[in-house]
Amino acid sequence: VTTTAQDDDGEVIVIAELNRAEVEQFIVEAEEQFYAIFNANVDDENYKITCRRETPTGSNIAVRVCEPAFMIKARAENANTIGFNAGVVESDRAIRSALEPEYRQLQQKMEAMTKEVPAFAQIASILSQLRARRDQLNK
């Protein structure tokens, strides 16, 4: 089965024929659309998604990170406690674990939106196919 998508100019793209660089480019574009539609339709500011470029510790290569407002807020609050707790800062993994209920709620909001907003469901499907192609190329 050949999986296709349309780009912004209406041209048909055969996902199975994309190379690694093309897949990465289309994933960024699809995520931008995915999160824009989600943010426009979600009712709670804490669940809106923001993307940014970040250079991980020990690396010189910036990566794209997209996360909900509640995670960004929790990390900022955690960083603000450094002065009070003699430099003890929780790792992102620990913060994310503590926010597991919020991440489950985020997943539920996205699943509900795929049923209610056709454009969101369509871009979610395309994004899933692009990520599967990336996984295939990375094997």
Side-chain angles (χ1 to χ4, degrees):
V1 176
T2 302
T3 308
T4 62
Q6 284 190 333
D7 68 8
D8 293 338
D9 300 324
E11 291 183 40
V12 174
I13 298 159
V14 180
I15 293 173
E17 295 177 1
L18 296 176
N19 66 35
R20 188 173 282 115
E22 292 167 332
V23 167
E24 291 299 333
Q25 175 191 340
F26 282 118
I27 285 174
V28 169
E29 291 173 17
E31 283 179 346
E32 290 293 332
Q33 292 176 31
F34 180 82
Y35 295 131
I37 294 168
F38 180 77
N39 289 346
N41 289 282
V42 73
D43 55 353
D44 187 333
E45 294 290 320
N46 282 322
Y47 290 89
K48 291 195 175 186
I49 308 289
T50 302
C51 298
R52 67 183 183 287
R53 298 210 46 87
E54 182 177 281
T55 305
T57 304
S59 174
N60 293 323
I61 301 170
V63 294
R64 190 163 180 266
V65 176
C66 300
E67 57 190 4
F70 64 78
M71 178 65 179
I72 295 167
K73 182 179 175 186
R75 186 182 300 109
E77 288 172 355
N78 181 56
N80 286 338
T81 65
I82 291 174
F84 304 113
N85 292 334
V88 177
V89 177
E90 286 187 74
S91 69
D92 267 8
R93 182 175 291 141
I95 295 169
R96 189 177 171 98
S97 179
L99 294 172
E100 194 58 41
E102 288 86 349
Y103 275 102
R104 277 196 301 276
Q105 183 69 26
L106 175 62
Q107 184 67 33
Q108 291 169 356
K109 287 177 181 293
M110 287 185 172
E111 288 170 5
M113 197 174 290
T114 60
K115 296 176 182 140
E116 298 163 7
V117 182
F120 186 74
Q122 183 180 22
I123 196 69
S125 174
I126 291 168
L127 187 54
S128 175
Q129 294 165 30
L130 286 165
R131 287 174 174 161
R133 175 66 177 151
R134 177 177 60 191
D135 292 347
Q136 180 185 39
L137 289 168
N138 287 338
K139 286 183 179 177

